[in-house]
């Protein structure tokens, strides 16, 4: 029987523990972690994600505000807003929800966020630190949360074959580097890759982040593999809109050692890791040792 990895419960436990650490940060150091989320426009999926982030932050003692800006805001106006947040020492984390409207250059926006407030870990300097395997950098939340789930099933990943499907800057590429740091042999598959099924069938770990419903099939997967489904897709199931992942869950679950469901797998972990990154960012800015406040396995 496969382990169905309960990301919702694991994320909730992480947040409960973190809320106690936040309490201690406030009492011992007079530091009140603060996260600002910027939402440009009215993308419905982004609105839901941003609302969930703010709700979770508030529930564990992180002060949080969502700044909603119009779709037609000028790039320079958005940059000015980020610079204002950068220079406010009471703000520890800044997140600009993606995607941005097409007239705005996302890379300029991402690189305007101060490196130490970049709770998404998307700034070029944080990406560079991740690639070099440096400790104490801000690392993208979804891959970090996914790795945590994998390591709860299998603590030593050394020498394992890992396949990441998808090469986005948000998930695929950082996931590659995190697995490499765990001494996995890592392959990235993408839209131009050949023999996807054959490559996957050799993998001990599969992380699917392609954004295609039920893309990964049972016959691609090795018996006893760990499968992490990052996909959040809307699909029509029996005439009703349902959230489904990138993996054919019902087929694949019969073969694997462990698998994440959608919803309730990776999604809640992304938010939990954002909370953890906000506390790390607060510690970095206030020159406090993160090890007192954040579990070092994260
Ligand atoms: N859009 C989809 N995922 C993410 C994320 O992790 N961070 C931000 N800022 N935007 C996203």
């Amino acid at each position: 029987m496969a382990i169905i990895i309960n990301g919702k419960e694991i994320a909730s436990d992480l947040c409960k523990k973190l809320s106690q650490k936040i309490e201690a940060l406030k009492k011992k150091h007079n530091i009140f972690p603060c996260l600002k989320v910027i939402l440009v426009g009215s993308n419905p999926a982004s609105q839901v994600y941003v609302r969930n982030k703010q709700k979770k932050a508030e529930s564990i003692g992180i002060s949080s505000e969502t700044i909603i800006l119009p779709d037609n805001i000028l790039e320079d106006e958005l940059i000015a807003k980020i610079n204002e947040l950068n220079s406010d020492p009471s703000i520890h984390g800044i997140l600009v929800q993606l995607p941005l409207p097409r007239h705005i250059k996302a890379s300029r926006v991402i690189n305007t966020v101060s490196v130490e407030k970049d709770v998404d870990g998307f700034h070029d300097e944080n990406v560079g630190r991740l690639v070099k395997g440096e400790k104490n950098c801000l690392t993208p939340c979804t891959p970090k949360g996914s790795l945590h789930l994998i390591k709860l099933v299998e603590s030593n990943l050394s020498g394992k074959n890992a396949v990441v499907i998808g090469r986005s800057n948000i998930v695929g590429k950082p996931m590659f580097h995190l697995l490499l740091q765990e001494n996995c042999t890592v392959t990235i598959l993408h839209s131009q890759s050949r023999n996807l099924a054959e490559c996957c069938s050799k993998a001990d770990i599969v992380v699917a982040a392609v954004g295609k419903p039920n893309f990964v099939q049972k016959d691609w997967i090795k018996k006893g593999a760990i499968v992490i489904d990052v996909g959040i897709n809307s699909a029509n199931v029996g005439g009703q809109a349902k959230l489904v992942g990138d993996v054919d869950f019902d087929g694949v679950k019969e073969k694997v050692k462990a698998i994440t469901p959608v919803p309730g797998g990776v999604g809640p972990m992304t938010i939990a890791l954002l909370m953890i990154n906000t506390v790390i960012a607060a510690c970095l800015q206030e020159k406090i040792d993160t090890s007192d406040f954040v579990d070092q396995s994260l």
Side-chain angles (χ1 to χ4, degrees), residues 46 49 53 95-99 120 122 140-142 170-171 270:
S46 293
Y49 295 146
K53 287 169 186 177
L95 179 147
V96 182
Q97 187 66 28
L98 302 176
D120 262 327
F122 294 166
C141 305
T142 302
I170 295 181
V171 184
T270 297

Side-chain angles (χ1 to χ4, degrees):
M1 277 285 277
I3 300 166
I4 310 299
I5 303 172
N6 191 339
K8 195 173 168 190
E9 198 175 290
I10 294 163
S12 166
D13 286 349
L14 284 174
C15 286
K16 237 178 252 161
K17 284 191 195 126
L18 190 68
S19 74
Q20 290 162 8
K21 300 287 184 184
I22 291 168
E23 204 47 46
L25 260 184
K26 290 176 179 174
K27 286 215 175 98
K28 212 167 132 189
H29 295 280
N30 206 27
I31 294 168
F32 292 76
C34 172
L35 170 69
K36 298 280 177 179
V37 177
I38 297 178
L39 174 63
V40 181
S42 52
N43 177 317
S46 293
Q47 285 174 332
V48 173
Y49 295 146
V50 159
R51 200 178 313 127
N52 289 341
K53 287 169 186 177
Q54 172 155 356
K55 259 180 27 197
K56 181 53 77 180
E58 282 166 357
S59 78
I60 63 166
I62 294 175
S63 118
S64 174
E65 183 196 5
T66 302
I67 299 163
I68 298 171
L69 300 171
D71 227 339
N72 62 354
I73 189 169
L74 296 176
E75 187 176 300
D76 283 342
E77 290 173 320
L78 176 56
I79 297 286
K81 184 71 204 169
I82 295 169
N83 279 325
E84 186 190 313
L85 302 179
N86 281 341
S87 56
D88 182 342
S90 71
I91 296 168
H92 302 104
I94 302 169
L95 179 147
V96 182
Q97 187 66 28
L98 302 176
L100 287 166
R102 274 215 294 226
H103 68 281
I104 294 176
K105 197 161 178 258
S107 66
R108 181 174 173 226
V109 170
I110 287 166
N111 287 315
T112 299
V113 174
S114 136
V115 174
E116 289 192 330
K117 298 190 181 190
D118 171 34
V119 284
D120 262 327
F122 294 166
H123 190 291
D124 287 355
E125 200 166 320
N126 282 320
V127 174
R129 289 179 187 175
L130 169 66
V131 170
K132 290 168 86 177
E134 285 176 17
K135 297 275 170 238
N136 263 345
C137 64
L138 289 163
T139 307
C141 305
T142 302
K144 204 168 165 186
S146 300
L147 180 67
H148 186 69
L149 296 180
I150 295 167
K151 290 189 75 175
L152 286 176
V153 178
E154 189 88 50
S155 58
N156 182 4
L157 305 182
S158 196
K160 301 275 183 203
N161 286 328
V163 162
V164 178
I165 314 176
R167 54 176 158 177
S168 70
N169 291 330
I170 295 181
V171 184
K173 288 180 200 161
M175 193 76 240
F176 173 91
H177 290 290
L178 288 174
L179 289 164
L180 189 59
Q181 267 169 40
E182 296 294 326
N183 300 313
C184 291
T185 304
V186 198
T187 306
I188 288 210
L189 302 177
H190 49 80
S191 56
Q192 305 302 307
S193 296
R194 294 176 195 158
N195 306 329
L196 267 73
E198 195 194 331
C199 281
C200 274
S201 68
K202 298 194 179 92
D204 304 302
I205 298 158
V206 175
V207 179
V210 267
K212 290 186 184 160
N214 299 323
F215 185 68
V216 177
Q217 294 296 307
K218 181 179 173 183
D219 60 357
W220 296 20
I221 298 294
K222 181 163 109 175
K223 196 163 180 288
I226 300 171
V227 176
I228 303 294
D229 191 347
V230 180
I232 305 177
N233 310 295
S234 175
N236 186 318
V237 179
Q240 285 201 326
K242 253 187 82 176
L243 277 190
V244 299
D246 290 345
V247 177
D248 172 20
F249 181 84
D250 289 332
V252 168
K253 82 170 193 293
E254 292 170 21
K255 278 180 98 171
V256 293
K257 179 172 183 184
I259 184 167
T260 58
V262 177
V266 173
M269 292 299 289
T270 297
I271 298 184
L273 269 296
L274 173 64
M275 302 302 120
I276 288 169
N277 275 357
T278 304
V279 172
I280 292 175
C283 290
L284 289 175
Q285 282 151 76
E286 308 283 355
K287 312 267 183 277
I288 290 184
D289 190 352
T290 55
S291 62
D292 289 345
F293 297 98
V294 180
D295 181 346
Q296 289 307 283
S297 67
L298 288 161

